[in-house]
Amino acid sequence: MVTRNKDLQKTTESLLKKKDSQAPSKKPVSVPGDNPVIYPLDLPESDARLQTPAVGARATRPDGRLHGLGQTKYIDDMSFPHMIHAKILRSEYAHAKIISIDTSAAEAIPGVLATLVGDEIPVNTFGPTFQDQPVLADTIVRHKGDGVAAVAAVNEQIAADALEKIKVVYEPLEAVFDPQEALKDSAPKIHGDKTNIYTSKIIKKGDVEKGLAESDHIFQRQYSTQMVEHVPIEPHASIALWDGNGRVSVWSSLGRITLGREDLSRTLSLPQSKIRLIGTIVGGNFGGKNEITNEPILALLSKKTGRPVKCVFTRGDEFISSTIRHPFVMDYTTGVNNDGKIIARKIKLILDGGAYCSWTGTTIGKGSILAAGPYNIDNLFVESYAVYTNKTTTGAMRGFGAPQVCFAYESQMDEIAEKLGIDPLELRLKNAFTEGSASPTSQQLQSVVLKESLKQASDRFGWKEWKK
Amino acid sequence: MIKRGKGMACMWYPIGFTVAANASAATVKVNTDGTATVLTGTVETGQGALTVLGQIAAQTLGIATDDVHVVSADTDSTPMDTGAIASRTTYVTGNAIVLAAEKAREILFEAAAPLLNVRPEQLEAVDKKIRVLSFPDRFLPIDKVVAHAENTLGKPSIGSASYNPPTVEMDPETGQGKPFNAYVYATQIADVEVDDETGEVEVKKITAVHDCGTPINPMLVEGQIQGGISMGVGFALQEEILFKDGTQINPNLTNYIMPTSLDMPELEVELVDNYDPTGPFGAKGAGEPTAVPTAAAIMNAIYDAVGVRITNLPATAEKVLAAIQEKNKAVA
């Protein structure tokens, strides 16, 4: 991509010019402490926030000013007296048995207050669909992002140094990284000993084989997508405090605290009434912060040390140990008549499910239901399989499989349009859902404005007039 | 040579969980000065959800957005919520807040009715007033009604409620069923330039027209669309976690390339007029779908520009150039 240096320069110049005219009308106010307030305290409100009716108003956000001034407190900005810091040791192997973990040398380092391994966790499993994931791996590591031990120390540097002193003896196991390889009988099994397929979905409507046989044209193509990270500006972060009354408070970047508390209650074997989970202001989620990660570990380290314990993932932790988007391999076969009417569509989706299930159930569900596109197709067959691999756990990410299948169905729409000599807009309008259309699951759809969006976007873009 | 192309993609996307229950509960308390407090267990993840939820409460009570304070995300004080996931907050939590605010409002209608000599069902809450329907001159200021209800009648204006979208189980053999209660629709069109000597793709413009039902706050919907497009541009052209023998080789922001503000194209963002009768004031949702059609539109535009179909994302310069060279070889 081209960096538009000229544009940047222009913007900077115009900002510099405006500087004087935009100076605050009142003298900046400061208060003592490490967080000087640098703006006038009597806040002007936008009219949109003051108007009735409230719905439809372009109301500014109540948290916007602090964000703009860099004054918002994220977990990394929060501190408690006597707070200590935790770090988590990640696996050396993508697939291995853990023979032993020796933390004694780490514990001997001055400044290290506690360590934690998986078998100290009361219930060492979690997962939003099914509980196939250890909080800290204690018998088998299934990808290189698995945590195997944690250290709490007076500062992050000592905690990081201590990780290097932990001795883990592994017995490496054969690993599999490609989902199509993982489907084979000969592939090593990642959970159990039967198959690496851990969830599947079928959507069936009409008679796809008959529909394909009766179509004037058949289009066939395989599409595939990559693994991507959510890359929130704020990585996963939490602070846990196990207090003298036996109650644990956790401040977390988690996006769903009700279920987070259920997971904490389960993993810690502690009644929900003894757990307080506070969702802090989050610096980006995009689906990546929808399950617990380090929270039970920090709670137990706090219980061991009597101190508040904080852990902020490094960018590396964020990439390798938090969830990412599922790569899809998508086979599309579509039967179309000469006039552009889609008669039948047959789809097979293989999802790289990573080492643990996480939100794969939702991803395969939405991916399969949406796979045929927003089109009236009477004959449809979608089969989808999610497969374990010894790679980073794939989970929830903005769109749950929809960006992947949209890439496939919309690419194929353009291939069909070109071959039949129909404008891509017209081909879509011809097949598009309308009010009352039946979805692939035969649900009658309401408030459908697909054609309106196609026409409005084309008008706005100037689709018909556009010239190269 | 720089070649230009255009490409479109449309999509549909559901609101909420697939069949599974995903309830939200909410509590709305009206204060004696006519302001209000909302308790919700959802989490603000940067999208402006708390602003939208405050607007929904304000609309139900006939007060302004600024009159509502939203307390969120503390299991000690806020009711259960399935959370900031599945583009469900405006729709599901929003519906729970409407129901809770209606209960609080009902207490005000019952308190005001005898004072206005009408029945409670003849009242509405608008412009910070409890007002007789079709008779705008007869009203009481909302703060006076709240204070009367709480301090004279001993009936504070508080309501709690929950909402869960109705669904129908999917048949395990055929997948037939009603997995979601609402869907949204959208179209994005990309204008790109492709350098056929380097394979480099520059997205010049994206026109995005999205449906979210009623936009509770059009500015925040536009923000979601702009953010979603940036994620879509990264998915289309740049972002990829690379592995060697199970080890990520680019787990850092030096080697994992994603769009910065300087990579963003010109954006034309519009909303389609729509109203969904099942949503709060006709609203559905806007979070995830904004990122869905971008990559597809860009790939179709690349094909229009240089005649190569990228079937494996991302369309890095190397991949596009290799495809162009292969095409040229085939032609020669």
Side-chain angles (χ1 to χ4, degrees):
Chain A
M1 289 233 155
V2 176
T3 304
R4 301 186 191 87
N5 284 325
K6 272 185 191 164
D7 294 352
L8 181 67
Q9 206 179 330
K10 261 189 237 163
T11 313
T12 314
E13 278 167 12
S14 71
L15 279 177
L16 286 173
K17 267 182 211 158
K18 278 187 191 163
K19 203 177 164 189
D20 290 336
S21 62
Q22 285 188 341
S25 55
K26 292 182 184 175
K27 262 191 163 181
V29 180
S30 285
V31 293
D34 60 353
N35 184 23
V37 177
I38 52 162
Y39 50 84
L41 286 171
D42 45 347
L43 312 180
E45 273 310 336
S46 71
D47 290 345
R49 284 188 65 78
L50 302 176
Q51 79 171 59
T52 57
V55 161
R58 301 174 74 85
T60 52
R61 296 166 48 153
D63 55 350
R65 176 175 288 252
L66 290 184
H67 286 334
L69 290 166
Q71 299 265 314
T72 299
K73 295 288 183 198
Y74 296 92
I75 286 178
D76 199 33
D77 303 308
M78 291 168 62
S79 185
F80 292 96
H82 310 296
M83 190 174 78
I84 56 174
H85 301 265
K87 290 273 181 193
I88 297 166
L89 180 67
R90 305 288 165 195
S91 171
E92 279 173 52
Y93 294 91
H95 199 196
K97 264 188 199 163
I98 297 173
I99 304 299
S100 64
I101 304 175
D102 180 359
T103 57
S104 54
E107 282 160 11
I109 294 175
V112 171
L113 299 189
T115 61
L116 189 80
V117 293
D119 63 15
E120 295 176 87
I121 297 168
V123 177
N124 189 20
T125 58
F126 74 102
T129 311
F130 42 88
Q131 288 76 44
D132 62 349
Q133 188 164 1
V135 179
L136 286 174
D138 51 2
T139 54
I140 293 176
V141 288
R142 295 182 177 87
H143 75 116
K144 291 197 76 171
D146 265 335
V148 292
V151 173
V154 292
N155 64 41
E156 282 188 275
Q157 189 54 56
I158 293 174
D161 291 346
L163 291 186
E164 292 175 17
K165 302 287 180 197
I166 296 174
K167 294 186 192 77
V168 185
V169 178
Y170 296 94
E171 181 189 314
L173 299 169
E174 192 191 347
V176 61
F177 306 120
D178 181 282
Q180 308 206 72
E181 288 295 317
L183 282 171
K184 293 179 182 165
D185 288 344
S186 58
K189 304 298 180 283
I190 296 168
H191 293 262
D193 53 8
K194 292 195 179 78
T195 169
N196 286 318
I197 296 175
Y198 64 97
T199 179
S200 60
K201 197 95 190 163
I202 301 276
I203 310 280
K204 205 168 150 185
K205 195 180 168 185
D207 186 337
V208 82
E209 295 304 336
K210 187 162 171 276
L212 288 173
E214 288 172 4
S215 301
D216 295 334
H217 304 270
I218 300 289
F219 294 83
Q220 210 162 6
R221 180 79 78 187
Q222 185 176 85
Y223 306 89
S224 58
T225 60
Q226 76 279 36
M227 269 190 180
V228 295
E229 225 296 289
H230 309 77
V231 202
I233 294 175
E234 180 203 27
H236 283 72
S238 306
I239 299 171
L241 171 57
W242 199 300
D243 70 25
N245 292 322
R247 223 167 167 259
V248 61
S249 297
V250 178
W251 289 259
S252 172
S253 55
L254 198 62
R256 45 203 312 266
I257 56 163
T258 303
L259 293 143
R261 185 176 64 165
E262 281 179 12
D263 290 343
L264 275 172
S265 166
R266 190 177 160 278
T267 51
L268 299 173
S269 288
L270 199 66
Q272 289 183 24
S273 59
K274 291 199 183 295
I275 299 167
R276 180 184 184 192
L277 181 54
I278 301 146
T280 53
I281 293 174
V282 179
N285 176 332
F286 312 115
K289 291 173 179 163
N290 287 326
E291 57 213 288
I292 55 167
T293 52
N294 54 21
E295 291 84 352
I297 299 168
L298 303 189
L300 292 168
L301 286 169
S302 177
K303 189 182 185 187
K304 275 191 169 183
T305 59
R307 307 264 204 124
V309 183
K310 178 179 190 170
C311 176
V312 178
F313 276 7
T314 61
R315 187 55 63 185
D317 286 326
E318 192 67 25
F319 267 96
I320 68 166
S321 75
S322 81
T323 58
I324 55 177
R325 194 187 284 289
H326 292 76
F328 276 39
V329 177
M330 305 172 278
D331 283 298
Y332 272 64
T333 305
T334 304
V336 188
N337 273 358
N338 287 324
D339 63 356
K341 169 83 187 134
I342 302 174
I343 304 300
R345 188 163 247 179
K346 189 168 147 183
I347 299 163
K348 185 175 180 185
L349 308 175
I350 305 288
L351 283 67
D352 186 339
Y356 300 103
C357 176
S358 180
W359 286 92
T360 297
T362 310
T363 309
I364 199 171
K366 287 195 180 177
S368 304
I369 293 162
L370 302 172
Y375 303 115
N376 294 305
I377 305 172
D378 292 336
N379 304 295
L380 184 65
F381 183 75
V382 184
E383 57 178 329
S384 312
Y385 304 94
V387 190
Y388 283 127
T389 60
N390 292 113
K391 301 214 300 275
T392 315
T393 307
T394 42
M397 185 165 174
R398 199 178 199 169
F400 282 112
Q404 293 95 317
V405 296
C406 182
F407 160 56
Y409 65 69
E410 287 301 81
S411 292
Q412 197 167 50
M413 284 306 271
D414 267 30
E415 291 182 54
I416 295 166
E418 190 194 24
K419 174 91 183 286
L420 301 183
I422 302 173
D423 185 273
L425 171 64
E426 298 306 324
L427 181 73
R428 286 173 174 82
L429 289 173
K430 188 172 190 69
N431 291 284
F433 284 154
T434 53
E435 191 70 19
S437 280
S439 76
T441 68
S442 299
Q443 172 179 355
Q444 199 178 11
L445 299 170
Q446 66 174 13
S447 75
V448 183
V449 288
L450 179 62
K451 285 190 176 184
E452 290 80 352
S453 87
L454 278 160
K455 287 176 194 162
Q456 194 175 326
S458 299
D459 288 349
R460 179 71 199 259
F461 181 86
W463 179 259
K464 291 202 169 115
E465 309 80 51
W466 192 90
K467 289 202 172 58
K468 287 191 184 186
Chain B
M1 221 177 115
I2 303 289
K3 300 274 179 69
R4 273 182 86 194
K6 64 172 179 178
M8 67 164 56
C10 60
M11 67 108 230
W12 63 314
Y13 196 77
I15 303 301
F17 276 18
T18 319
V19 182
N22 62 124
S24 288
T27 293
V28 174
K29 311 189 277 186
V30 190
N31 305 315
T32 52
D33 62 354
T35 62
T37 303
V38 174
L39 304 184
T40 167
T42 195
V43 179
E44 169 67 60
T45 61
Q47 79 280 49
L50 301 190
T51 311
V52 164
L53 297 177
Q55 285 180 267
I56 289 170
Q59 180 78 13
T60 315
L61 296 168
I63 58 180
T65 309
D66 205 52
D67 295 330
V68 179
H69 175 62
V70 181
V71 178
S72 73
D74 183 342
T75 57
D76 270 11
S77 57
T78 60
M80 87 67 64
D81 193 289
T82 304
I85 183 169
S87 303
R88 57 180 294 289
T89 305
T90 298
Y91 187 78
V92 185
T93 308
N95 267 333
I97 287 174
V98 170
L99 294 170
E102 281 174 353
K103 286 188 178 174
R105 191 181 64 189
E106 194 50 38
I107 291 167
L108 301 181
F109 287 171
E110 279 168 13
L115 304 178
L116 291 164
N117 290 319
V118 291
R119 293 190 308 278
E121 55 272 27
Q122 288 176 281
L123 294 170
E124 61 181 348
V126 283
D127 291 337
K128 309 191 183 188
K129 294 165 188 148
I130 302 299
R131 199 168 75 176
V132 178
L133 280 165
S134 320
F135 200 76
D137 288 347
R138 192 183 291 178
F139 65 86
L140 287 167
I142 190 169
D143 55 340
K144 297 283 187 294
V145 179
V146 186
H148 175 69
E150 184 165 324
N151 298 332
T152 307
L153 305 177
K155 289 181 181 167
S157 171
I158 298 178
S160 292
S162 65
Y163 179 78
N164 182 51
T167 56
V168 177
E169 192 71 42
M170 292 166 78
D171 183 287
E173 308 270 307
T174 64
Q176 300 296 291
K178 184 191 172 191
F180 309 100
N181 202 38
Y183 297 81
V184 296
Y185 305 87
T187 301
Q188 292 186 7
I189 304 181
D191 178 344
V192 307
E193 283 183 1
V194 184
D195 185 331
D196 68 0
E197 287 162 22
T198 64
E200 208 172 11
V201 178
E202 186 178 3
V203 184
K204 301 300 287 181
K205 184 174 89 173
I206 289 188
T207 301
V209 176
H210 282 249
D211 157 42
C212 64
T214 301
I216 302 290
N217 185 326
M219 181 170 68
L220 291 176
V221 180
E222 287 159 16
Q224 284 275 25
I225 297 171
Q226 290 159 358
I229 290 172
S230 91
M231 209 166 224
V233 168
F235 184 55
L237 300 176
Q238 300 168 317
E239 296 183 43
E240 183 170 22
I241 295 175
L242 300 166
F243 280 88
K244 188 166 187 258
D245 301 330
T247 303
Q248 286 191 19
I249 58 172
N250 59 340
N252 54 65
L253 298 181
T254 310
N255 297 317
Y256 181 90
I257 308 300
M258 57 189 300
T260 68
S261 57
L262 294 174
D263 295 313
M264 281 298 282
E266 178 194 340
L267 300 179
E268 285 182 334
V269 172
E270 280 186 5
L271 305 176
V272 193
D273 277 343
N274 200 5
Y275 182 95
D276 189 291
T278 66
F281 304 105
K284 294 190 279 189
E288 298 169 276
T290 59
V292 171
T294 314
I298 293 171
M299 294 311 121
N300 284 339
I302 292 172
Y303 182 85
D304 188 49
V306 289
V308 298
R309 185 145 296 283
I310 302 300
T311 57
N312 165 249
L313 295 184
T316 56
E318 293 85 347
K319 210 179 276 178
V320 174
L321 183 63
I324 292 170
Q325 285 168 342
E326 197 159 313
K327 179 181 160 245
N328 291 344
K329 225 184 276 170
V331 171

